[in-house]
Amino acid sequence: MAANEKTQARIEQAKGKVKEIAGRAVGNERMTAEGRAEQSKGDMREAKEKTKDAFHR
């Protein structure tokens, strides 16, 4: 997995988790949903890179 892409995926996952927790804390459903979406985006990016790695070996 490319280090830059892996790092970006982890950052998106972490930012999403923080946003989700903050949204829950203040009762903001939209922020909670955005946080979950951002985490999913990071998960998808990570899965894409792992798939690319599997085929390039």
Side-chain angles (χ1 to χ4, degrees):
M1 185 181 298
N4 189 31
E5 288 292 322
K6 183 178 180 181
T7 302
Q8 189 64 31
R10 298 278 185 206
I11 290 170
E12 284 177 345
Q13 291 167 338
K15 282 176 32 180
K17 189 66 171 176
V18 169
K19 191 180 276 189
E20 179 183 2
I21 291 170
R24 283 186 183 167
V26 297
N28 186 333
E29 290 181 26
R30 181 177 178 191
M31 184 184 284
T32 302
E34 287 175 0
R36 282 192 209 128
E38 202 163 322
Q39 286 180 68
S40 294
K41 185 177 174 187
D43 292 342
M44 297 281 271
R45 182 187 301 255
E46 186 175 30
K48 178 188 82 170
E49 290 303 312
K50 284 183 179 181
T51 302
K52 283 175 32 180
D53 282 348
F55 284 107
H56 284 81
R57 290 183 189 241

mmCIF file of all heavy atoms in Angstrom:
data_model
loop_
_atom_site.group_PDB
_atom_site.id
_atom_site.type_symbol
_atom_site.label_atom_id
_atom_site.label_comp_id
_atom_site.label_asym_id
_atom_site.label_seq_id
_atom_site.Cartn_x
_atom_site.Cartn_y
_atom_site.Cartn_z
ATOM 1 N N MET A 1 0.851 -1.165 0.000
ATOM 2 C CA MET A 1 0.000 0.000 0.000
ATOM 3 C C MET A 1 0.898 1.229 0.000
ATOM 4 O O MET A 1 1.845 1.315 0.765
ATOM 5 C CB MET A 1 -0.889 -0.016 1.240
ATOM 6 C CG MET A 1 -1.888 1.094 1.274
ATOM 7 S SD MET A 1 -2.931 1.091 2.756
ATOM 8 C CE MET A 1 -3.766 -0.442 2.598
ATOM 9 N N ALA A 2 0.603 2.154 -0.859
ATOM 10 C CA ALA A 2 1.376 3.393 -0.916
ATOM 11 C C ALA A 2 1.248 4.117 0.429
ATOM 12 O O ALA A 2 0.154 4.263 0.968
ATOM 13 C CB ALA A 2 0.867 4.268 -2.046
ATOM 14 N N ALA A 3 2.359 4.529 0.951
ATOM 15 C CA ALA A 3 2.375 5.150 2.279
ATOM 16 C C ALA A 3 1.478 6.384 2.332
ATOM 17 O O ALA A 3 0.752 6.583 3.310
ATOM 18 C CB ALA A 3 3.797 5.507 2.671
ATOM 19 N N ASN A 4 1.507 7.194 1.295
ATOM 20 C CA ASN A 4 0.704 8.401 1.276
ATOM 21 C C ASN A 4 -0.792 8.074 1.285
ATOM 22 O O ASN A 4 -1.564 8.696 2.008
ATOM 23 C CB ASN A 4 1.052 9.253 0.054
ATOM 24 C CG ASN A 4 0.409 10.607 0.105
ATOM 25 O OD1 ASN A 4 0.182 11.161 1.180
ATOM 26 N ND2 ASN A 4 0.090 11.145 -1.057
ATOM 27 N N GLU A 5 -1.198 7.121 0.487
ATOM 28 C CA GLU A 5 -2.613 6.731 0.433
ATOM 29 C C GLU A 5 -3.050 6.090 1.746
ATOM 30 O O GLU A 5 -4.158 6.323 2.212
ATOM 31 C CB GLU A 5 -2.855 5.766 -0.730
ATOM 32 C CG GLU A 5 -2.781 6.422 -2.086
ATOM 33 C CD GLU A 5 -3.913 7.388 -2.348
ATOM 34 O OE1 GLU A 5 -5.063 7.104 -1.945
ATOM 35 O OE2 GLU A 5 -3.660 8.431 -2.960
ATOM 36 N N LYS A 6 -2.175 5.282 2.313
ATOM 37 C CA LYS A 6 -2.487 4.636 3.588
ATOM 38 C C LYS A 6 -2.664 5.693 4.678
ATOM 39 O O LYS A 6 -3.608 5.631 5.455
ATOM 40 C CB LYS A 6 -1.370 3.673 3.968
ATOM 41 C CG LYS A 6 -1.628 2.913 5.236
ATOM 42 C CD LYS A 6 -0.508 1.940 5.526
ATOM 43 C CE LYS A 6 -0.768 1.168 6.797
ATOM 44 N NZ LYS A 6 0.319 0.242 7.101
ATOM 45 N N THR A 7 -1.779 6.653 4.689
ATOM 46 C CA THR A 7 -1.863 7.741 5.665
ATOM 47 C C THR A 7 -3.146 8.537 5.475
ATOM 48 O O THR A 7 -3.834 8.859 6.445
ATOM 49 C CB THR A 7 -0.636 8.664 5.544
ATOM 50 O OG1 THR A 7 0.543 7.887 5.735
ATOM 51 C CG2 THR A 7 -0.681 9.781 6.561
ATOM 52 N N GLN A 8 -3.470 8.829 4.232
ATOM 53 C CA GLN A 8 -4.689 9.592 3.943
ATOM 54 C C GLN A 8 -5.931 8.823 4.408
ATOM 55 O O GLN A 8 -6.865 9.413 4.951
ATOM 56 C CB GLN A 8 -4.779 9.885 2.440
ATOM 57 C CG GLN A 8 -5.878 10.837 2.075
ATOM 58 C CD GLN A 8 -5.691 12.225 2.659
ATOM 59 O OE1 GLN A 8 -4.574 12.683 2.848
ATOM 60 N NE2 GLN A 8 -6.784 12.889 2.953
ATOM 61 N N ALA A 9 -5.941 7.518 4.201
ATOM 62 C CA ALA A 9 -7.069 6.697 4.639
ATOM 63 C C ALA A 9 -7.209 6.748 6.155
ATOM 64 O O ALA A 9 -8.318 6.906 6.687
ATOM 65 C CB ALA A 9 -6.881 5.259 4.167
ATOM 66 N N ARG A 10 -6.109 6.629 6.858
ATOM 67 C CA ARG A 10 -6.140 6.669 8.324
ATOM 68 C C ARG A 10 -6.602 8.033 8.835
ATOM 69 O O ARG A 10 -7.347 8.121 9.806
ATOM 70 C CB ARG A 10 -4.759 6.361 8.906
ATOM 71 C CG ARG A 10 -4.251 5.006 8.577
ATOM 72 C CD ARG A 10 -4.816 3.980 9.498
ATOM 73 N NE ARG A 10 -4.182 2.691 9.200
ATOM 74 C CZ ARG A 10 -4.743 1.548 9.447
ATOM 75 N NH1 ARG A 10 -5.907 1.510 10.019
ATOM 76 N NH2 ARG A 10 -4.137 0.432 9.138
ATOM 77 N N ILE A 11 -6.155 9.093 8.171
ATOM 78 C CA ILE A 11 -6.564 10.445 8.567
ATOM 79 C C ILE A 11 -8.068 10.612 8.388
ATOM 80 O O ILE A 11 -8.750 11.148 9.263
ATOM 81 C CB ILE A 11 -5.780 11.509 7.771
ATOM 82 C CG1 ILE A 11 -4.318 11.524 8.226
ATOM 83 C CG2 ILE A 11 -6.414 12.889 7.929
ATOM 84 C CD1 ILE A 11 -3.405 12.363 7.353
ATOM 85 N N GLU A 12 -8.584 10.158 7.248
ATOM 86 C CA GLU A 12 -10.029 10.264 7.009
ATOM 87 C C GLU A 12 -10.815 9.471 8.045
ATOM 88 O O GLU A 12 -11.847 9.936 8.539
ATOM 89 C CB GLU A 12 -10.380 9.762 5.612
ATOM 90 C CG GLU A 12 -10.023 10.720 4.522
ATOM 91 C CD GLU A 12 -10.323 10.177 3.136
ATOM 92 O OE1 GLU A 12 -10.550 8.958 2.988
ATOM 93 O OE2 GLU A 12 -10.332 10.980 2.198
ATOM 94 N N GLN A 13 -10.336 8.291 8.380
ATOM 95 C CA GLN A 13 -11.019 7.474 9.376
ATOM 96 C C GLN A 13 -11.022 8.173 10.740
ATOM 97 O O GLN A 13 -12.054 8.217 11.412
ATOM 98 C CB GLN A 13 -10.355 6.104 9.489
ATOM 99 C CG GLN A 13 -10.557 5.243 8.267
ATOM 100 C CD GLN A 13 -9.664 4.018 8.240
ATOM 101 O OE1 GLN A 13 -8.615 3.984 8.896
ATOM 102 N NE2 GLN A 13 -10.050 3.027 7.475
ATOM 103 N N ALA A 14 -9.898 8.734 11.125
ATOM 104 C CA ALA A 14 -9.794 9.403 12.417
ATOM 105 C C ALA A 14 -10.656 10.664 12.467
ATOM 106 O O ALA A 14 -11.365 10.903 13.455
ATOM 107 C CB ALA A 14 -8.344 9.746 12.718
ATOM 108 N N LYS A 15 -10.598 11.469 11.405
ATOM 109 C CA LYS A 15 -11.415 12.683 11.368
ATOM 110 C C LYS A 15 -12.898 12.337 11.422
ATOM 111 O O LYS A 15 -13.675 13.014 12.094
ATOM 112 C CB LYS A 15 -11.123 13.482 10.093
ATOM 113 C CG LYS A 15 -9.839 14.276 10.165
ATOM 114 C CD LYS A 15 -9.466 15.006 8.893
ATOM 115 C CE LYS A 15 -10.556 15.508 8.035
ATOM 116 N NZ LYS A 15 -10.108 16.200 6.830
ATOM 117 N N GLY A 16 -13.267 11.292 10.726
ATOM 118 C CA GLY A 16 -14.662 10.867 10.730
ATOM 119 C C GLY A 16 -15.112 10.432 12.108
ATOM 120 O O GLY A 16 -16.224 10.751 12.545
ATOM 121 N N LYS A 17 -14.258 9.702 12.806
ATOM 122 C CA LYS A 17 -14.594 9.234 14.149
ATOM 123 C C LYS A 17 -14.768 10.410 15.101
ATOM 124 O O LYS A 17 -15.720 10.452 15.878
ATOM 125 C CB LYS A 17 -13.497 8.287 14.658
ATOM 126 C CG LYS A 17 -13.850 7.595 15.940
ATOM 127 C CD LYS A 17 -15.013 6.653 15.725
ATOM 128 C CE LYS A 17 -15.250 5.779 16.925
ATOM 129 N NZ LYS A 17 -16.435 4.941 16.762
ATOM 130 N N VAL A 18 -13.867 11.384 15.010
ATOM 131 C CA VAL A 18 -13.962 12.573 15.863
ATOM 132 C C VAL A 18 -15.255 13.334 15.561
ATOM 133 O O VAL A 18 -15.975 13.751 16.478
ATOM 134 C CB VAL A 18 -12.731 13.482 15.677
ATOM 135 C CG1 VAL A 18 -12.938 14.838 16.340
ATOM 136 C CG2 VAL A 18 -11.491 12.799 16.220
ATOM 137 N N LYS A 19 -15.554 13.492 14.287
ATOM 138 C CA LYS A 19 -16.759 14.213 13.895
ATOM 139 C C LYS A 19 -18.019 13.485 14.365
ATOM 140 O O LYS A 19 -18.966 14.101 14.836
ATOM 141 C CB LYS A 19 -16.796 14.391 12.373
ATOM 142 C CG LYS A 19 -17.869 15.347 11.901
ATOM 143 C CD LYS A 19 -17.862 15.502 10.389
ATOM 144 C CE LYS A 19 -16.866 16.527 9.946
ATOM 145 N NZ LYS A 19 -16.997 16.848 8.515
ATOM 146 N N GLU A 20 -18.006 12.161 14.258
ATOM 147 C CA GLU A 20 -19.158 11.377 14.705
ATOM 148 C C GLU A 20 -19.367 11.534 16.217
ATOM 149 O O GLU A 20 -20.488 11.761 16.677
ATOM 150 C CB GLU A 20 -18.952 9.903 14.365
ATOM 151 C CG GLU A 20 -20.100 9.022 14.811
ATOM 152 C CD GLU A 20 -19.879 7.550 14.556
ATOM 153 O OE1 GLU A 20 -18.802 7.166 14.051
ATOM 154 O OE2 GLU A 20 -20.793 6.778 14.866
ATOM 155 N N ILE A 21 -18.286 11.426 16.969
ATOM 156 C CA ILE A 21 -18.383 11.561 18.430
ATOM 157 C C ILE A 21 -18.840 12.962 18.825
ATOM 158 O O ILE A 21 -19.689 13.128 19.702
ATOM 159 C CB ILE A 21 -17.032 11.204 19.089
ATOM 160 C CG1 ILE A 21 -16.773 9.707 18.925
ATOM 161 C CG2 ILE A 21 -17.006 11.603 20.555
ATOM 162 C CD1 ILE A 21 -15.377 9.269 19.308
ATOM 163 N N ALA A 22 -18.303 13.975 18.161
ATOM 164 C CA ALA A 22 -18.708 15.356 18.457
ATOM 165 C C ALA A 22 -20.181 15.560 18.125
ATOM 166 O O ALA A 22 -20.912 16.214 18.879
ATOM 167 C CB ALA A 22 -17.851 16.337 17.668
ATOM 168 N N GLY A 23 -20.623 15.007 17.012
ATOM 169 C CA GLY A 23 -22.025 15.121 16.635
ATOM 170 C C GLY A 23 -22.950 14.485 17.653
ATOM 171 O O GLY A 23 -23.998 15.032 17.992
ATOM 172 N N ARG A 24 -22.554 13.341 18.149
ATOM 173 C CA ARG A 24 -23.357 12.669 19.185
ATOM 174 C C ARG A 24 -23.381 13.485 20.465
ATOM 175 O O ARG A 24 -24.410 13.581 21.136
ATOM 176 C CB ARG A 24 -22.805 11.284 19.476
ATOM 177 C CG ARG A 24 -23.147 10.275 18.428
ATOM 178 C CD ARG A 24 -22.707 8.903 18.848
ATOM 179 N NE ARG A 24 -22.982 7.952 17.768
ATOM 180 C CZ ARG A 24 -22.494 6.744 17.732
ATOM 181 N NH1 ARG A 24 -21.702 6.314 18.692
ATOM 182 N NH2 ARG A 24 -22.791 5.942 16.735
ATOM 183 N N ALA A 25 -22.237 14.071 20.814
ATOM 184 C CA ALA A 25 -22.129 14.830 22.065
ATOM 185 C C ALA A 25 -23.042 16.051 22.071
ATOM 186 O O ALA A 25 -23.621 16.384 23.104
ATOM 187 C CB ALA A 25 -20.685 15.252 22.300
ATOM 188 N N VAL A 26 -23.168 16.697 20.927
ATOM 189 C CA VAL A 26 -24.002 17.904 20.867
ATOM 190 C C VAL A 26 -25.397 17.616 20.326
ATOM 191 O O VAL A 26 -26.214 18.522 20.216
ATOM 192 C CB VAL A 26 -23.331 19.025 20.032
ATOM 193 C CG1 VAL A 26 -22.039 19.471 20.678
ATOM 194 C CG2 VAL A 26 -23.111 18.601 18.605
ATOM 195 N N GLY A 27 -25.660 16.361 19.966
ATOM 196 C CA GLY A 27 -26.981 15.995 19.477
ATOM 197 C C GLY A 27 -27.236 16.408 18.036
ATOM 198 O O GLY A 27 -28.375 16.601 17.629
ATOM 199 N N ASN A 28 -26.165 16.550 17.254
ATOM 200 C CA ASN A 28 -26.291 16.970 15.862
ATOM 201 C C ASN A 28 -26.232 15.732 14.965
ATOM 202 O O ASN A 28 -25.169 15.171 14.712
ATOM 203 C CB ASN A 28 -25.163 17.943 15.522
ATOM 204 C CG ASN A 28 -25.296 18.546 14.153
ATOM 205 O OD1 ASN A 28 -25.881 17.966 13.254
ATOM 206 N ND2 ASN A 28 -24.737 19.743 13.989
ATOM 207 N N GLU A 29 -27.392 15.300 14.474
ATOM 208 C CA GLU A 29 -27.472 14.088 13.663
ATOM 209 C C GLU A 29 -26.734 14.241 12.338
ATOM 210 O O GLU A 29 -26.148 13.278 11.835
ATOM 211 C CB GLU A 29 -28.928 13.714 13.402
ATOM 212 C CG GLU A 29 -29.639 13.229 14.642
ATOM 213 C CD GLU A 29 -31.069 12.842 14.367
ATOM 214 O OE1 GLU A 29 -31.395 12.469 13.225
ATOM 215 O OE2 GLU A 29 -31.869 12.913 15.315
ATOM 216 N N ARG A 30 -26.758 15.430 11.767
ATOM 217 C CA ARG A 30 -26.081 15.650 10.491
ATOM 218 C C ARG A 30 -24.564 15.466 10.640
ATOM 219 O O ARG A 30 -23.920 14.830 9.805
ATOM 220 C CB ARG A 30 -26.391 17.049 9.966
ATOM 221 C CG ARG A 30 -25.744 17.338 8.644
ATOM 222 C CD ARG A 30 -26.131 18.694 8.128
ATOM 223 N NE ARG A 30 -25.444 18.962 6.872
ATOM 224 C CZ ARG A 30 -25.419 20.125 6.294
ATOM 225 N NH1 ARG A 30 -26.074 21.143 6.822
ATOM 226 N NH2 ARG A 30 -24.768 20.291 5.183
ATOM 227 N N MET A 31 -24.007 16.030 11.706
ATOM 228 C CA MET A 31 -22.567 15.901 11.931
ATOM 229 C C MET A 31 -22.205 14.432 12.188
ATOM 230 O O MET A 31 -21.172 13.950 11.708
ATOM 231 C CB MET A 31 -22.131 16.752 13.123
ATOM 232 C CG MET A 31 -20.623 16.753 13.361
ATOM 233 S SD MET A 31 -20.123 17.673 14.825
ATOM 234 C CE MET A 31 -20.305 19.345 14.237
ATOM 235 N N THR A 32 -23.056 13.733 12.919
ATOM 236 C CA THR A 32 -22.823 12.317 13.178
ATOM 237 C C THR A 32 -22.805 11.535 11.872
ATOM 238 O O THR A 32 -21.917 10.701 11.640
ATOM 239 C CB THR A 32 -23.911 11.761 14.117
ATOM 240 O OG1 THR A 32 -23.906 12.509 15.332
ATOM 241 C CG2 THR A 32 -23.679 10.299 14.438
ATOM 242 N N ALA A 33 -23.759 11.808 11.003
ATOM 243 C CA ALA A 33 -23.826 11.123 9.714
ATOM 244 C C ALA A 33 -22.622 11.464 8.835
ATOM 245 O O ALA A 33 -22.072 10.590 8.154
ATOM 246 C CB ALA A 33 -25.120 11.493 8.997
ATOM 247 N N GLU A 34 -22.207 12.718 8.844
ATOM 248 C CA GLU A 34 -21.026 13.117 8.071
ATOM 249 C C GLU A 34 -19.785 12.394 8.580
ATOM 250 O O GLU A 34 -18.924 11.991 7.788
ATOM 251 C CB GLU A 34 -20.818 14.628 8.157
ATOM 252 C CG GLU A 34 -21.814 15.431 7.357
ATOM 253 C CD GLU A 34 -21.664 16.934 7.556
ATOM 254 O OE1 GLU A 34 -20.777 17.369 8.328
ATOM 255 O OE2 GLU A 34 -22.449 17.671 6.946
ATOM 256 N N GLY A 35 -19.694 12.231 9.882
ATOM 257 C CA GLY A 35 -18.562 11.521 10.464
ATOM 258 C C GLY A 35 -18.529 10.073 10.023
ATOM 259 O O GLY A 35 -17.479 9.540 9.661
ATOM 260 N N ARG A 36 -19.693 9.437 10.031
ATOM 261 C CA ARG A 36 -19.755 8.044 9.580
ATOM 262 C C ARG A 36 -19.381 7.934 8.105
ATOM 263 O O ARG A 36 -18.690 6.998 7.700
ATOM 264 C CB ARG A 36 -21.162 7.487 9.794
ATOM 265 C CG ARG A 36 -21.436 7.119 11.210
ATOM 266 C CD ARG A 36 -22.718 6.300 11.314
ATOM 267 N NE ARG A 36 -23.316 6.536 12.610
ATOM 268 C CZ ARG A 36 -24.566 6.907 12.816
ATOM 269 N NH1 ARG A 36 -25.396 7.040 11.818
ATOM 270 N NH2 ARG A 36 -25.007 7.110 14.028
ATOM 271 N N ALA A 37 -19.855 8.877 7.316
ATOM 272 C CA ALA A 37 -19.543 8.871 5.879
ATOM 273 C C ALA A 37 -18.049 9.047 5.645
ATOM 274 O O ALA A 37 -17.464 8.384 4.782
ATOM 275 C CB ALA A 37 -20.331 9.969 5.171
ATOM 276 N N GLU A 38 -17.441 9.921 6.413
ATOM 277 C CA GLU A 38 -16.005 10.159 6.263
ATOM 278 C C GLU A 38 -15.203 8.911 6.654
ATOM 279 O O GLU A 38 -14.219 8.563 5.998
ATOM 280 C CB GLU A 38 -15.586 11.347 7.124
ATOM 281 C CG GLU A 38 -14.316 11.992 6.660
ATOM 282 C CD GLU A 38 -14.128 13.384 7.244
ATOM 283 O OE1 GLU A 38 -15.118 14.128 7.378
ATOM 284 O OE2 GLU A 38 -12.979 13.709 7.544
ATOM 285 N N GLN A 39 -15.640 8.232 7.701
ATOM 286 C CA GLN A 39 -14.986 6.985 8.087
ATOM 287 C C GLN A 39 -15.108 5.952 6.976
ATOM 288 O O GLN A 39 -14.141 5.249 6.652
ATOM 289 C CB GLN A 39 -15.628 6.418 9.348
ATOM 290 C CG GLN A 39 -15.272 7.155 10.613
ATOM 291 C CD GLN A 39 -15.953 6.530 11.798
ATOM 292 O OE1 GLN A 39 -15.630 5.407 12.175
ATOM 293 N NE2 GLN A 39 -16.902 7.236 12.387
ATOM 294 N N SER A 40 -16.283 5.864 6.381
ATOM 295 C CA SER A 40 -16.505 4.914 5.294
ATOM 296 C C SER A 40 -15.614 5.227 4.102
ATOM 297 O O SER A 40 -15.082 4.323 3.455
ATOM 298 C CB SER A 40 -17.965 4.932 4.863
ATOM 299 O OG SER A 40 -18.777 4.448 5.893
ATOM 300 N N LYS A 41 -15.460 6.503 3.820
ATOM 301 C CA LYS A 41 -14.599 6.915 2.716
ATOM 302 C C LYS A 41 -13.157 6.469 2.971
ATOM 303 O O LYS A 41 -12.485 5.955 2.075
ATOM 304 C CB LYS A 41 -14.662 8.432 2.564
ATOM 305 C CG LYS A 41 -13.905 8.976 1.390
ATOM 306 C CD LYS A 41 -14.087 10.487 1.295
ATOM 307 C CE LYS A 41 -13.212 11.083 0.217
ATOM 308 N NZ LYS A 41 -13.268 12.548 0.224
ATOM 309 N N GLY A 42 -12.701 6.621 4.203
ATOM 310 C CA GLY A 42 -11.362 6.160 4.565
ATOM 311 C C GLY A 42 -11.240 4.652 4.462
ATOM 312 O O GLY A 42 -10.231 4.123 3.991
ATOM 313 N N ASP A 43 -12.288 3.945 4.882
ATOM 314 C CA ASP A 43 -12.290 2.486 4.779
ATOM 315 C C ASP A 43 -12.215 2.045 3.323
ATOM 316 O O ASP A 43 -11.499 1.096 2.986
ATOM 317 C CB ASP A 43 -13.548 1.896 5.421
ATOM 318 C CG ASP A 43 -13.585 2.064 6.935
ATOM 319 O OD1 ASP A 43 -12.522 2.314 7.545
ATOM 320 O OD2 ASP A 43 -14.697 1.947 7.499
ATOM 321 N N MET A 44 -12.960 2.716 2.462
ATOM 322 C CA MET A 44 -12.971 2.373 1.043
ATOM 323 C C MET A 44 -11.593 2.630 0.416
ATOM 324 O O MET A 44 -11.114 1.831 -0.376
ATOM 325 C CB MET A 44 -14.036 3.179 0.298
ATOM 326 C CG MET A 44 -15.433 2.908 0.756
ATOM 327 S SD MET A 44 -16.060 1.403 0.083
ATOM 328 C CE MET A 44 -16.746 2.037 -1.415
ATOM 329 N N ARG A 45 -10.982 3.742 0.772
ATOM 330 C CA ARG A 45 -9.658 4.063 0.235
ATOM 331 C C ARG A 45 -8.643 3.003 0.669
ATOM 332 O O ARG A 45 -7.835 2.539 -0.127
ATOM 333 C CB ARG A 45 -9.204 5.442 0.719
ATOM 334 C CG ARG A 45 -7.867 5.877 0.163
ATOM 335 C CD ARG A 45 -7.367 7.160 0.794
ATOM 336 N NE ARG A 45 -8.265 8.276 0.607
ATOM 337 C CZ ARG A 45 -8.051 9.280 -0.244
ATOM 338 N NH1 ARG A 45 -6.949 9.301 -0.973
ATOM 339 N NH2 ARG A 45 -8.902 10.262 -0.346
ATOM 340 N N GLU A 46 -8.727 2.595 1.923
ATOM 341 C CA GLU A 46 -7.812 1.581 2.431
ATOM 342 C C GLU A 46 -8.039 0.244 1.715
ATOM 343 O O GLU A 46 -7.080 -0.423 1.318
ATOM 344 C CB GLU A 46 -8.011 1.409 3.933
ATOM 345 C CG GLU A 46 -7.023 0.483 4.577
ATOM 346 C CD GLU A 46 -7.174 0.437 6.085
ATOM 347 O OE1 GLU A 46 -8.289 0.622 6.597
ATOM 348 O OE2 GLU A 46 -6.149 0.211 6.739
ATOM 349 N N ALA A 47 -9.275 -0.134 1.515
ATOM 350 C CA ALA A 47 -9.589 -1.387 0.825
ATOM 351 C C ALA A 47 -9.092 -1.353 -0.615
ATOM 352 O O ALA A 47 -8.563 -2.352 -1.127
ATOM 353 C CB ALA A 47 -11.089 -1.635 0.865
ATOM 354 N N LYS A 48 -9.245 -0.211 -1.269
ATOM 355 C CA LYS A 48 -8.771 -0.057 -2.651
ATOM 356 C C LYS A 48 -7.271 -0.266 -2.727
ATOM 357 O O LYS A 48 -6.777 -0.987 -3.597
ATOM 358 C CB LYS A 48 -9.136 1.332 -3.171
ATOM 359 C CG LYS A 48 -8.644 1.608 -4.591
ATOM 360 C CD LYS A 48 -8.860 3.050 -4.983
ATOM 361 C CE LYS A 48 -7.736 3.873 -4.424
ATOM 362 N NZ LYS A 48 -7.660 5.233 -4.889
ATOM 363 N N GLU A 49 -6.543 0.329 -1.804
ATOM 364 C CA GLU A 49 -5.087 0.196 -1.811
ATOM 365 C C GLU A 49 -4.655 -1.229 -1.500
ATOM 366 O O GLU A 49 -3.706 -1.739 -2.088
ATOM 367 C CB GLU A 49 -4.455 1.185 -0.833
ATOM 368 C CG GLU A 49 -4.558 2.626 -1.275
ATOM 369 C CD GLU A 49 -3.935 2.860 -2.635
ATOM 370 O OE1 GLU A 49 -2.798 2.421 -2.878
ATOM 371 O OE2 GLU A 49 -4.593 3.488 -3.483
ATOM 372 N N LYS A 50 -5.346 -1.884 -0.588
ATOM 373 C CA LYS A 50 -5.005 -3.274 -0.272
ATOM 374 C C LYS A 50 -5.251 -4.172 -1.484
ATOM 375 O O LYS A 50 -4.479 -5.095 -1.745
ATOM 376 C CB LYS A 50 -5.810 -3.759 0.924
ATOM 377 C CG LYS A 50 -5.293 -3.226 2.231
ATOM 378 C CD LYS A 50 -6.068 -3.774 3.399
ATOM 379 C CE LYS A 50 -5.513 -3.242 4.702
ATOM 380 N NZ LYS A 50 -6.235 -3.766 5.863
ATOM 381 N N THR A 51 -6.329 -3.899 -2.215
ATOM 382 C CA THR A 51 -6.633 -4.674 -3.417
ATOM 383 C C THR A 51 -5.558 -4.455 -4.470
ATOM 384 O O THR A 51 -5.095 -5.412 -5.101
ATOM 385 C CB THR A 51 -8.018 -4.283 -3.978
ATOM 386 O OG1 THR A 51 -9.002 -4.499 -2.972
ATOM 387 C CG2 THR A 51 -8.352 -5.077 -5.217
ATOM 388 N N LYS A 52 -5.141 -3.214 -4.647
ATOM 389 C CA LYS A 52 -4.076 -2.921 -5.609
ATOM 390 C C LYS A 52 -2.797 -3.643 -5.229
ATOM 391 O O LYS A 52 -2.115 -4.199 -6.085
ATOM 392 C CB LYS A 52 -3.831 -1.415 -5.693
ATOM 393 C CG LYS A 52 -4.879 -0.680 -6.497
ATOM 394 C CD LYS A 52 -4.761 0.818 -6.510
ATOM 395 C CE LYS A 52 -3.437 1.463 -6.420
ATOM 396 N NZ LYS A 52 -3.480 2.923 -6.447
ATOM 397 N N ASP A 53 -2.484 -3.654 -3.943
ATOM 398 C CA ASP A 53 -1.281 -4.346 -3.470
ATOM 399 C C ASP A 53 -1.361 -5.846 -3.755
ATOM 400 O O ASP A 53 -0.377 -6.458 -4.158
ATOM 401 C CB ASP A 53 -1.080 -4.138 -1.974
ATOM 402 C CG ASP A 53 -0.502 -2.775 -1.637
ATOM 403 O OD1 ASP A 53 -0.051 -2.079 -2.566
ATOM 404 O OD2 ASP A 53 -0.504 -2.421 -0.446
ATOM 405 N N ALA A 54 -2.526 -6.425 -3.546
ATOM 406 C CA ALA A 54 -2.690 -7.869 -3.761
ATOM 407 C C ALA A 54 -2.439 -8.250 -5.201
ATOM 408 O O ALA A 54 -1.892 -9.311 -5.485
ATOM 409 C CB ALA A 54 -4.082 -8.291 -3.317
ATOM 410 N N PHE A 55 -2.845 -7.416 -6.140
ATOM 411 C CA PHE A 55 -2.689 -7.726 -7.550
ATOM 412 C C PHE A 55 -1.293 -7.394 -8.095
ATOM 413 O O PHE A 55 -0.891 -7.902 -9.134
ATOM 414 C CB PHE A 55 -3.748 -7.016 -8.398
ATOM 415 C CG PHE A 55 -5.091 -7.673 -8.303
ATOM 416 C CD1 PHE A 55 -6.117 -7.086 -7.582
ATOM 417 C CD2 PHE A 55 -5.315 -8.899 -8.901
ATOM 418 C CE1 PHE A 55 -7.361 -7.682 -7.492
ATOM 419 C CE2 PHE A 55 -6.550 -9.522 -8.804
ATOM 420 C CZ PHE A 55 -7.578 -8.904 -8.096
ATOM 421 N N HIS A 56 -0.572 -6.539 -7.399
ATOM 422 C CA HIS A 56 0.761 -6.148 -7.858
ATOM 423 C C HIS A 56 1.870 -7.022 -7.310
ATOM 424 O O HIS A 56 3.021 -6.833 -7.623
ATOM 425 C CB HIS A 56 1.043 -4.680 -7.483
ATOM 426 C CG HIS A 56 0.330 -3.737 -8.378
ATOM 427 N ND1 HIS A 56 -0.993 -3.413 -8.195
ATOM 428 C CD2 HIS A 56 0.730 -3.051 -9.462
ATOM 429 C CE1 HIS A 56 -1.359 -2.561 -9.127
ATOM 430 N NE2 HIS A 56 -0.339 -2.325 -9.904
ATOM 431 N N ARG A 57 1.540 -7.974 -6.503
ATOM 432 C CA ARG A 57 2.577 -8.836 -5.901
ATOM 433 C C ARG A 57 2.735 -10.087 -6.658
ATOM 434 O O ARG A 57 2.136 -10.664 -7.340
ATOM 435 C CB ARG A 57 2.235 -9.138 -4.450
ATOM 436 C CG ARG A 57 2.403 -7.869 -3.639
ATOM 437 C CD ARG A 57 2.152 -8.138 -2.174
ATOM 438 N NE ARG A 57 2.121 -6.865 -1.504
ATOM 439 C CZ ARG A 57 2.954 -6.545 -0.560
ATOM 440 N NH1 ARG A 57 3.855 -7.378 -0.144
ATOM 441 N NH2 ARG A 57 2.883 -5.379 0.011
#
